Amino acid sequence: EKGGWDSFMDKEIHEDPAAVQRTLLGRLNRNGDLNLDEVHIDEHDFKAVDKIIVIACGTASYAGMVAKYAIEHWVRIPVEVELAHEFRYRDPILTPRTLVVAISQSGETMDTLMALRHAREQGSKVLAICNTQGASIPRESDAVLYTHAGPEVAVASTKAFVAQITAAYLLGLYLAQVKGAMFRDEIHQVLDSLKHMPAKIQWVIDTQSGTISDAAKRMVDAKSFLFLGRHVGYPVALEGALKLKEIAYTFTEGFAAGELKHGPIALVDDGEPVVFIVPPERGRNVLHAKVISGIEEVRARGAFVIAVAEKGDPDVERYADVVFWRPQCPTLMSPLVDVVPLQLFAMDMAKLKGYDVDKPRNLAKSVTVE
Ligand code: M6R
């Protein structure tokens, strides 16, 4: 039930902090090391993994893209992310040492299910990251790591996304642990940052909701939006664009901010709303300055800039028209908070337009046909 909220989407966004927290729960042993015995893949098999291919659709694929940045950095093995329906119809290079990770909230997405069968037929092990106990995808996989976001009812996926990132991060850190790719202390430090994320997400919900709904009121008549980010901010931009198009029926496009000058900047005209995901760690992260210069470029062409950025970021204060602030956090953790204002913004826009945010037209919660 909706538990007092006016929509399931509202309720589920407010459960983002709990979704991360519950997905972390019970996965660390007394010494603070990761324990993933529950997935029933032998430690030796995990040690042998030399490549990961993530297969998923929609929001789940964006969680996979976020995880790619983290896992390649931590484990130093290649991670590919592919839309399940594309993977299924090509001739992917798989070996017994390839771990295929199928990410799905519902566990019933036919495209993802067919892709995992395709992978298993060729001898690869498949691990499912899934939110639904006993669904087809976990049942047909070799192993499963459940996200504990709780049932997600609204068609637009929200809390499942942050839980999927959390679970994929746990998988990456576990691989780093068994392969000795990181020092134990480093792993503990990352886990510690992860544990702090629910409170940071809560801070965004508690302090930014007013700014977000004001922005939605100002922008409700906008015909289109561009969403831009780099590195882990890139999949967040794609997800923000998907949320707004699927429930507010606004034309959106998300892309890597570095692509601006390779074409999309031609779309920027007077008053065009452009959403930027500005990386944290200003001064230490080279991409921060690059994203800021992207903001300057579109501003010079008259764009209306909405930024998601670290609280007090002086460059953003100078150039953005509207800012959704995030508390300080490491770059790899930022997607967990940055998506939240974009979820709220899409919901506010859809409500202002009078749409049913839980049941957008033409869409189903689980897509059980190919
Ligand atoms: O249940 P799944 O995670 O496998 O679903 C995948 C996509 O269909 C899903 O994420 C879809 O893109 C949502 N409507 C996004 O909000």
Side-chain angles (χ1 to χ4, degrees), residues 56-62 103-110 112 129 132 137 152 154-158 160 164 239 242-243 246-247 360 363-367:
C57 303
T59 293
S61 75
Y62 302 144
I103 307 183
S104 174
Q105 188 287 129
S106 63
E108 298 296 347
T109 300
M110 187 54 74
T112 309
I129 291 182
T132 313
I137 289 171
E152 193 180 66
V155 166
S157 190
T158 54
Q164 284 158 353
E239 173 61 4
L242 175 63
K243 284 294 88 97
E246 69 178 337
I247 62 168
L363 292 171
K365 181 62 183 160
S366 36
V367 184

Side-chain angles (χ1 to χ4, degrees), residues 89-141:
Y89 291 101
R90 64 179 181 91
D91 198 4
I93 299 161
L94 298 167
T95 75
R97 298 180 68 175
T98 307
L99 180 66
V100 173
V101 177
I103 307 183
S104 174
Q105 188 287 129
S106 63
E108 298 296 347
T109 300
M110 187 54 74
D111 288 317
T112 309
L113 185 61
M114 298 300 279
L116 91 79
R117 287 181 185 157
H118 189 54
R120 290 195 75 200
E121 273 158 19
Q122 289 168 71
S124 282
K125 284 225 181 324
V126 177
L127 181 146
I129 291 182
C130 184
N131 197 43
T132 313
Q133 297 273 338
S136 308
I137 289 171
R139 265 201 335 262
E140 292 201 23
S141 297

Side-chain angles (χ1 to χ4, degrees), residues 252-315:
T252 63
E253 200 183 348
F255 49 87
E259 277 294 290
L260 254 182
K261 56 187 168 304
H262 299 289
I265 200 159
L267 287 169
V268 177
D269 200 359
D270 223 19
E272 174 68 24
V274 186
V275 181
F276 277 89
I277 315 299
V278 183
E281 305 189 80
R282 179 178 179 268
R284 279 188 292 149
N285 182 345
V286 286
L287 291 177
H288 180 276
K290 303 230 180 249
V291 172
I292 296 294
S293 82
I295 294 182
E296 289 178 89
E297 276 165 33
V298 302
R299 274 287 299 246
R301 287 157 182 88
F304 182 85
V305 174
I306 303 169
V308 178
E310 186 166 290
K311 199 169 177 300
D313 185 325
D315 299 321

Side-chain angles (χ1 to χ4, degrees), residues 52-74 77-84 101-103 129 161 164-166 168-169 227-240 242 254-257 259 331-332 335-336:
I52 290 179
I53 302 182
V54 176
I55 49 172
C57 303
T59 293
S61 75
Y62 302 144
M65 283 175 72
V66 169
K68 171 186 166 79
Y69 292 89
I71 298 176
E72 289 189 338
H73 179 66
W74 293 330
I77 58 170
V79 179
E80 288 173 22
V81 184
E82 190 158 16
L83 293 168
V101 177
I103 307 183
I129 291 182
F161 178 72
Q164 284 158 353
I165 295 174
T166 307
Y169 277 17
F227 285 75
L228 285 85
R230 291 187 75 134
H231 191 261
V232 286
Y234 167 38
V236 172
L238 297 177
E239 173 61 4
L242 175 63
F255 49 87
E259 277 294 290
T331 300
L332 288 175
L336 292 167

